[in-house]
Structure formats: structure tokens, C-alpha cells
Amino acid sequence: MKIVACNSNRPLAEDVSRILEVPLTKASIRRFADMEVFVEIQENVRGQDVFVIQPTSFPANDNLMELLITLDALRRSSARRLTAVIPYFGYARQDRKSASRTPISAKLVANLITEAGANRVLTMDLHAGQIQGFFDIPVDNLIAAPLFSRDIQERFAGRDVIIVSPDVGGVVRARAIATRLNCDLAIIDKRRERAGVSEVMNVIGDVAGRDCILVDDLVDSGGTHCNAADALIKRGARSASAYVTHGVLSGGAVARIGGSSIETMTITDSIMPTVEVKACPNIRTLTIAPLLAEAMRRINDETSVSSLFD
């Protein structure tokens, strides 16, 4: 097994490398003066099972090009099998035609990754599960539910917890955690007037006097989660917290969450936390390195990945 770390989230790659006791493969991934990406693999990878770790988070286009060029370099170096480890899959929200004459960019990105030489993709909590079908190669979509469930049990022991989906589309994800915790489920009914702007309309479920935990796959502007927390508190909730897999946190999201009624927002390190995120008092981070490492080990050993979540 070989592990190649691109530049998007090197600390996560180093943690995975340490857990697997496999040193990171020496590689130079740098920019020319005009910002073209240049990749040079500095070790022999012929006949090896190579894992390339690269979330395609901000700057999404630069990080995507790094991934594609690294895959191409490894393919031309005669690697036996290439697995693109993409903890956060950018462009996942563009998984359908949302209006006339618009692209399905998630499918385009899937094609690019396949054509670059990937034989397999390992990702986590895809925004839409059907994106797995955009690839003509195997896709392992890990879920954060077991990680979140364990943490909720530890932090909220003895409290009257209810899991809340911030929208109707996330009910399946929220129900998975509610089932693991054997607790109730509530749903936020919202209306989105335009991209990036949401208005909470109604709360479906009895949240009065209970500790509400919002569960979602990603947080971008933070508006949805802050509005949902406010709605829950107005409906008599004792507290409102959130567990979100991917902390995109663009624009003024961190400041918005810091000044909101969200008691604690827990994210993972699928996207490398910024200095601002680390300094925010009500945002905390869980690592997915052990989960990624175990999935990579099982792929390398040709054993079951799905049994990780049984």
C-alpha cells in the first residue's frame, strides 16, 4: 500500500498514515508561476495499491485539479490500482438540473476523476447518495453516523435528546442516528427562497423541554442551522446543538454560528479546519482519520467495508 497526500488536508493524511503505520509517499505537488499544477512522484509505485487523499473543498477547482493531475501521474507510473480518497466531494450539490439550461456538475466531476485514472473512490457522507451512480467505478460512501452516535451518547448521557433533521431531504440521515440512539425524531419544514437563503417555516415533532440535536451532511453559510436552532428554542427546546459531517463554513458562517443560539456545532476534519474555526468557542471537531484508515486497510485487504457500519 502507498498513500499520497495532496495539499488540501495534509494533517488528515498524516493522521491516517500514522494509524496505518504506512509512511506518506514522497511526492512534489507544486505550482508554476502561472499557477499551473505540477506533480512529481518521487518513489517507485509500480504495481502498488495507491490511495490519494484529497478533499475537493475550497478552493474547489484548484484542489480538484491537484487530484486529477496526481492520479494521472500515478497512472503513468504504472500503479496497480488507484483509489481516490475524497473525504469531502465538492460539486455534490450540483447533482441534478435545478433549472433549465443548467449543468449536472457532479456527474462531470465523476467523469473527470474516472478518466484521470481512478479505479475506485472512497468518500464520506455524499450530499446525495445517488452520486455513487454517476461513477462507472466502485464507490465506497462512508457514513459519520456511528462516530456521531458514540459522541452524542458520551456528551448527552442522561439528557432527554431528540434528533432533528434541518430539512425534509435529510430525514433518512437523521433517522439513522435516531435509530442508533433509540430516541425520537423531529423535522424542520423550511422554504428556500433562493440559493444560500432559507426561512424556517415549521417544526414537526414535540421538542419542548428537550435537548435538540440537528444532524446534517454539510454546513456552508450556516443560515439553515442558525434559523433552525432559533425555531427550536422558540418552540420550547431546552437547547439546540448540531452534528454536521462537512464544515464548508464559507463567508461569514463562523461568526454567524458563534453568535447564534447553537450550543455546540460538531464537525469532522473531512475539510481542514481554518484558524477561525478552531478559535470559535461553539464549534468543535471530531477526526475521521481512524474511520478512513480502517476503510483503506479493508480495501487493500479486499475485505468488507460495509461491515464497518453493522
Side-chain angles (χ1 to χ4, degrees):
M1 178 196 285
K2 295 278 189 180
I3 303 173
V4 177
C6 295
N7 294 321
S8 176
N9 195 342
R10 194 170 181 90
L12 176 61
E14 290 170 348
D15 289 344
V16 170
S17 168
R18 188 160 47 249
I19 292 167
L20 290 173
E21 298 181 344
V22 175
L24 293 176
T25 298
K26 294 178 182 176
S28 175
I29 303 173
R30 59 186 189 271
R31 300 286 197 279
F32 288 128
D34 63 353
M35 299 307 291
E36 280 187 8
V37 178
F38 177 75
V39 175
E40 181 182 8
I41 308 301
Q42 297 171 329
E43 289 182 24
N44 179 26
V45 295
R46 184 179 298 273
Q48 295 287 324
D49 194 3
V50 185
F51 295 81
V52 182
I53 301 178
Q54 175 78 334
T56 51
S57 50
F58 177 84
N61 299 329
D62 287 355
N63 288 330
L64 177 60
M65 283 304 298
E66 269 191 21
L67 173 62
L68 298 176
I69 294 172
T70 302
L71 289 169
D72 185 71
L74 290 163
R75 177 172 61 90
R76 296 176 188 277
S77 302
S78 301
R80 177 176 61 86
R81 180 173 65 178
L82 297 176
T83 300
V85 182
I86 313 173
Y88 170 68
F89 184 82
Y91 286 98
R93 285 173 281 182
Q94 298 185 48
D95 63 319
R96 66 196 184 284
K97 288 192 69 170
S98 56
S100 300
R101 298 172 295 281
T102 57
I104 304 178
S105 303
K107 170 60 175 170
L108 172 62
V109 171
N111 288 344
L112 290 170
I113 291 169
T114 304
E115 288 299 316
N119 303 112
R120 190 180 199 96
V121 169
L122 176 62
T123 187
M124 187 163 189
D125 272 340
L126 283 171
H127 184 65
Q130 63 267 24
I131 292 174
Q132 295 173 82
F134 291 177
F135 289 89
D136 294 323
I137 55 177
V139 176
D140 291 302
N141 182 29
L142 305 180
I143 58 174
L147 180 68
F148 286 168
S149 299
R150 285 194 298 270
D151 194 71
I152 291 169
Q153 286 174 329
E154 292 172 4
R155 290 178 59 83
F156 291 84
R159 295 167 70 174
D160 187 9
V161 168
I162 182 170
I163 301 299
V164 182
S165 174
D167 53 38
V168 175
V171 170
V172 173
R173 183 180 297 105
R175 186 185 292 122
I177 292 182
T179 300
R180 286 173 179 270
L181 297 173
N182 192 28
C183 65
D184 292 337
L185 175 69
I187 303 168
I188 301 290
D189 172 36
K190 72 176 184 182
R191 180 177 300 167
R192 188 180 293 276
E193 302 296 339
R194 63 183 185 274
V197 178
S198 66
E199 179 185 357
V200 172
M201 301 299 293
N202 195 19
V203 178
I204 304 170
D206 181 16
V207 300
R210 310 177 80 176
D211 294 296
C212 298
I213 300 177
L214 292 153
V215 174
D216 211 350
D217 65 309
L218 65 86
V219 51
D220 189 353
S221 66
T224 292
H225 300 87
C226 293
N227 291 344
D230 289 342
L232 292 168
I233 297 298
K234 287 177 183 176
R235 290 289 293 268
R238 184 167 174 265
S239 69
S241 300
Y243 278 75
V244 186
T245 307
H246 308 298
V248 178
L249 299 171
S250 59
V254 175
R256 186 175 296 112
I257 292 165
S260 73
S261 54
I262 297 175
E263 184 178 275
T264 307
M265 175 172 282
T266 302
I267 60 175
T268 76
D269 57 354
S270 63
I271 297 172
M272 186 168 66
T274 62
V275 173
E276 188 182 14
V277 170
K278 292 178 180 177
C280 186
N282 62 339
I283 298 180
R284 56 189 290 267
T285 305
L286 294 178
T287 183
I288 59 170
L291 181 59
L292 275 184
E294 182 59 27
M296 289 164 61
R297 179 184 286 118
R298 292 183 181 210
I299 291 170
N300 180 248
D301 293 341
E302 305 286 357
T303 55
S304 172
V305 174
S306 61
S307 61
L308 268 171
F309 310 108
D310 291 342

